[in-house]
């Protein structure tokens, strides 16, 4: 027994630490984000056609919840790294704004144009309706989730929702704000133990006040506060993994064990917390230890994850508008290529130019890679982050 433990310790000691790899590109991060965005398509294909998801038969979470959790875990890690690598308020705000807003503004205008084609109203009534122009303005400025476009998708089985994916944006932006506050206060650089205590307190709040009845343990109320606590914990755990990166081994064996523990928590009240503690680690192992070939392919294609996420829902609702009896599998097959095409155009024509502008405004070098690269762990002699 002692020999086995000793071997396990030696094996674990030989595994690279997260801090050793974060000085280079996270080769699998782009494909993980695209996979998560595609999983959202799968989840919505079942919801929009009024079908139950297969995984829920085994007591597991919804596909969409898993996908959003992956997004928040990656964001927590990379956005925290972004602040640590460049702790300037103006630069941080520009980076976040130019990553989210240009693509969002364009998809809102495109959706209004699509609405003109599918609305039940006359073109004049649609274009002169206050609701038509409130839709892009409120979502672009305050990330409102209401109102939807007048007369659009009213006969669809799910209802008139135009872009149900955008509800996560206010939660994401709030998480960015929390990172900014912690960064400006110096907690991210010097007091990571206080950040750890804050995250533990957030877990306590969730367990005492936010417990509900959905598959991930979140209340059905659906308010921003509830979702902020729930998905904010995935974000926070991702941030902690960055702050303690020099101590975190990136082990496929540990990731597999974490996956087994998460699967074992299905049908239990521990599913929420277990997922919050295990999924971020699994994501980082896959992100940093992916084959180099994966990164080469994604570099050629571009980062289609955000475009896929923001275009998929209106694409799906448009397909259903013309075929209200379509099933979930057929909807997935029709949606994925159409959405990828929209995402490719969004990346090439909107998001990539915005990132180039960001580099000029924040004085990043022209050849600077995307956020899949984060600063390396500090050397012990330099002090680094203190507990």
């Amino acid at each position: 027994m002692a020999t086995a433990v000793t071997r396990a310790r030696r094996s674990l000691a030989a595994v690279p630490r997260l801090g050793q790899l974060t000085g280079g590109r996270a080769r699998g991060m782009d494909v993980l984000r695209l996979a998560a965005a595609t999983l959202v398509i799968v989840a919505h294909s079942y919801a929009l056609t009024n079908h139950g998801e297969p995984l829920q038969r085994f007591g597991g979470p919804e596909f969409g919840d898993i996908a959003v959790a992956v997004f928040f875990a990656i964001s927590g890690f990379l956005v925290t790294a972004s602040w640590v690598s460049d702790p300037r308020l103006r630069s941080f705000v520009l980076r976040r704004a130019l990553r989210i807003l240009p693509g969002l503004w364009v998809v809102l205008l495109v959706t209004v144009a699509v609405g003109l084609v599918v609305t039940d109203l006359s073109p004049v009534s649609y274009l002169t309706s206050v609701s038509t122009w409130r839709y892009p303005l409120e979502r672009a400025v305050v990330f409102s989730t209401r109102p939807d476009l007048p007369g659009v998708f009213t006969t669809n089985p799910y209802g008139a929702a135009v872009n149900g994916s955008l509800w996560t944006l206010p939660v994401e932006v709030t998480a960015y704000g929390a990172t900014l506050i912690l960064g400006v206060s110096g907690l991210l650089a010097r007091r990571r133990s206080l950040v750890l205590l804050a995250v533990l307190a957030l877990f306590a709040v969730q367990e005492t006040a936010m417990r509900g009845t959905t598959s991930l343990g979140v209340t059905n109320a659906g308010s921003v506060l509830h979702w902020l606590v729930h998905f904010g914990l995935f974000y926070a755990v991702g941030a902690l993994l960055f702050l303690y990166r020099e101590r975190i081994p990136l082990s496929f064996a540990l990731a597999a064990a974490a996956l087994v523990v998460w699967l074992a928590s299905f049908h239990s009240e521990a599913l929420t917390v277990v997922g919050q503690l295990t999924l971020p680690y699994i994501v980082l192992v896959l992100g940093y230890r992916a084959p180099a070939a994966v990164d080469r392919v994604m570099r050629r294609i571009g980062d289609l994850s955000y475009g896929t996420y923001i275009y998929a829902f209106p694409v799906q609702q448009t397909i259903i508008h013309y075929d209200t009896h379509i099933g979930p599998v057929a909807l997935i097959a029709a949606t994925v290529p159409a959405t990828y095409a929209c995402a490719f155009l969004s990346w090439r024509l909107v998001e990539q130019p915005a990132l180039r502008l960001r580099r000029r405004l924040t004085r990043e070098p022209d050849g600077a890679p995307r956020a899949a690269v984060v600063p390396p762990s500090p050397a012990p002699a330099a002090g680094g982050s203190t507990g």
Side-chain angles (χ1 to χ4, degrees):
M1 181 68 177
T3 303
V5 172
T6 301
R7 288 176 180 174
R9 286 178 178 175
R10 289 176 180 173
S11 177
L12 192 60
V15 172
R17 294 301 189 263
L18 180 57
Q20 294 174 281
L21 300 180
T22 53
R25 185 175 169 80
R27 298 181 301 198
M29 220 54 108
D30 285 348
V31 73
L32 283 174
R33 286 186 292 211
L34 181 58
T38 305
L39 191 60
V40 172
I41 293 177
V42 175
H44 287 164
S45 293
Y46 282 92
L48 293 174
T49 57
N50 291 330
H51 287 78
E53 294 184 14
L55 196 59
Q56 291 183 289
R57 301 172 187 173
F58 305 97
E62 297 176 359
F63 289 139
D65 288 343
I66 298 173
V68 175
V70 170
F71 277 128
F72 273 86
I74 293 174
S75 289
F77 183 85
L78 293 179
V79 172
T80 302
S82 176
W83 172 266
V84 171
S85 66
D86 185 5
R88 295 177 296 166
L89 187 148
R90 175 179 176 273
S91 178
F92 182 86
V93 172
L94 281 174
R95 287 177 187 226
R96 305 282 71 77
L98 290 175
R99 187 64 188 97
I100 290 180
L101 295 180
L104 174 64
W105 292 341
V106 172
V107 74
L108 292 174
L109 293 177
V110 169
T111 306
V112 170
V114 171
L116 179 61
V117 177
V118 301
T119 183
D120 296 336
L121 305 181
S122 69
V124 173
S125 298
Y126 177 80
L127 292 174
T128 56
S129 172
V130 173
S131 295
T132 299
W133 303 110
R134 282 180 58 193
Y135 173 81
L137 288 174
E138 291 192 356
R139 280 163 175 77
V141 176
V142 296
F143 304 112
S144 169
T145 58
R146 292 184 177 86
D148 287 316
L149 290 168
V152 174
F153 303 140
T154 55
T155 60
N156 284 20
Y158 187 80
V162 173
N163 198 336
S165 298
L166 300 186
W167 70 267
T168 62
L169 290 182
V171 180
E172 181 88 5
V173 171
T174 303
Y176 294 163
T179 301
L180 182 60
I181 292 171
L182 291 173
V184 171
S185 67
L187 293 178
L188 288 183
R190 297 291 178 183
R191 296 290 182 270
R192 65 184 183 181
S193 59
L194 294 182
V195 179
L196 174 59
L197 289 175
V199 173
L200 292 176
L202 201 57
F203 271 109
V205 169
Q206 175 179 255
E207 289 306 294
T208 57
M210 301 296 180
R211 184 169 299 272
T213 58
T214 66
S215 62
L216 282 176
V218 189
T219 179
N220 279 320
S223 69
V224 171
L225 176 61
H226 289 103
W227 293 119
L228 179 61
V229 171
H230 176 68
F231 289 115
L233 277 166
F234 285 97
Y235 184 97
V237 172
L240 282 177
L241 288 172
F242 175 78
L243 295 178
Y244 286 89
R245 61 198 181 281
E246 74 277 5
R247 301 181 185 179
I248 306 297
L250 285 181
S251 166
F252 284 116
L254 287 179
L259 178 61
V260 169
V261 170
W262 178 61
L263 293 175
S265 70
F266 286 13
H267 273 307
S268 76
E269 293 186 355
L271 174 60
T272 299
V273 174
V274 171
Q276 288 162 339
L277 292 174
T278 58
L279 289 181
Y281 177 77
I282 295 169
V283 166
L284 287 179
V285 171
L286 295 176
Y288 275 96
R289 301 199 66 184
V294 171
D295 187 47
R296 287 196 294 269
V297 171
M298 294 307 297
R299 278 176 178 264
R300 292 173 184 170
I301 296 173
D303 187 357
L304 307 187
S305 59
Y306 184 56
T308 297
Y309 186 76
I310 61 178
Y311 277 93
F313 198 99
V315 167
Q316 289 175 296
Q317 283 284 66
T318 301
I319 293 171
I320 295 171
H321 173 79
Y322 291 104
D323 184 3
T324 56
H325 299 293
I326 192 171
V329 176
L331 182 58
I332 293 168
T335 300
V336 169
T339 303
Y340 281 2
C342 293
F344 181 80
L345 293 175
S346 177
W347 172 252
R348 294 292 185 183
L349 302 179
V350 182
E351 298 167 54
Q352 194 174 45
L355 292 182
R356 293 194 184 109
L357 175 62
R358 183 190 78 181
R359 288 174 186 141
R360 289 197 295 270
L361 294 176
T362 59
R363 297 179 181 178
E364 295 177 11
D366 291 338
R370 298 193 297 275
V373 174
V374 299
S377 178
S385 299
T386 60

